[in-house]
Amino acid sequence: MLKDKKIVLGITGSIAAYKAVDIASRLTRAGAKVEVVMTESATRFITPLTLRSITMRPVVTGMWETSSEFSIEHISLAEAADAVVIAPATANIIAHLACGMADDILTCTVLATRAPVIIAPAMNDNMFTNPVTQENIEKLKASGFVFVDPGAGRLACGRAGVGRLADIETIIGTLRQVLGRDGDLAGRNIVVTAGGTREPIDPVRYIGNRSSGKMGYALASAARDRGAEVKLITTITCMPETVGIDVVAVDTADDMNNAVKTAVKEADALVMAAAVVDYKPQATAKSKIKKDSDALSIGMVKTPDILAGIQGDFVKVGFAAESENLVANAKKKLKAKGLDLIVANDITDKSCGFGADSNKVTIIDKSGRVEDLPLMSKQEVAEKILGRVAELLISER
Ligand code: CTP
């Protein structure tokens, strides 16, 4: 989603300026064209050369530089930008913007742009919580500026408090959310499930599977990036970035079933990427099972088939993890579970599937159309699947 997007990255004079190098690097690696604008004080903390080397583009540090003979730098940057991100943003730039003061290249660019502006403050905790700064922030929020709140922790001044630049993942997640807010899933509610369920044997052990949750998280963020309201029902909760995603933590198949049933009441689509354990122990031992005997048998009963049991007027997408007869087995599941789409993958292929960052899938729809996709990152696979969901929502509903 960041590919070919023109992002103006404004850097101001905070000790956190070094973190902007990582932001520039990640955006550049994601395919964005990053135009760095540094205030004079930012250049005291890091050099323009560092940013130029990372972005492979000129870095603007003053009002009177022009990239071409006839363009005025801040106006051309402001007009070309898909979004402006100021990270880190000092109390000073926030105050200048709140007063509409255009007194350097960055404030001029921000005031001249019609693109969304995201501000990630970083400063001393007293400066951040000062009513003047808070008033300025509220004023800018009311004008449509998007803030990424700073975190709490040890600050450069040695104190502990709120003022640390937000996580880079959160800043980039906010940028993606903002860029996608008018996407083809805007106004839609999408429910995604992720991770493998865990069925307790006793207070310590459980029956589970190797699902990492990566595919479900990729789907949730891809839906968010197209403007959807996303609910992610997941057994894995340690993923780095869930900006704008409503995360519901569950453990067992029964928990997931209940959470899905509640969530789909408002849903336009359900994408079941979770690996639901099919059989659970008949009973859970109250205390830890001791290894007194040489063998142990555990009676097992079936868990609910969440996807098969859920009905309603929403697009239903399932996954099929297969080790043989991929397309034939997936088609059977599509029909048996009443799905609109099924995403089949061959779990014997080591380059994809459980734990991997890539996946090779075949998407089959209820008309029988079979789309074989090449090996891709899970993020790219998620984008393809959400593209198909968006098509179905436009054509059918
Ligand atoms: N699924 C579900 N509830 C279950 C089992 C699976 O909702 N108890 C969903 C999965 O999330 C997936 C689809 O059904 O979207 C297919 O899951 P898969 O594990 O491939 O198949 P199963 O239905 O479990 O059948 P089998 O294990 O026999 O292949």
Side-chain angles (χ1 to χ4, degrees), residues 272 274 276 278 303-307 318-321 333 337:
M272 275 292 297
V276 185
D278 290 327
T303 58
D305 190 318
I306 302 172
L307 205 46
F319 275 70
K333 280 182 193 168
K337 300 190 191 219

Side-chain angles (χ1 to χ4, degrees), residues 267-294:
D268 294 292
L270 166 67
V271 187
M272 275 292 297
V276 185
V277 168
D278 290 327
Y279 293 90
K280 64 177 182 180
Q282 203 156 16
T284 304
K286 290 231 165 2
S287 44
K288 188 181 168 205
I289 299 171
K290 302 303 274 178
K291 54 172 181 184
D292 295 335
S293 51
D294 288 340

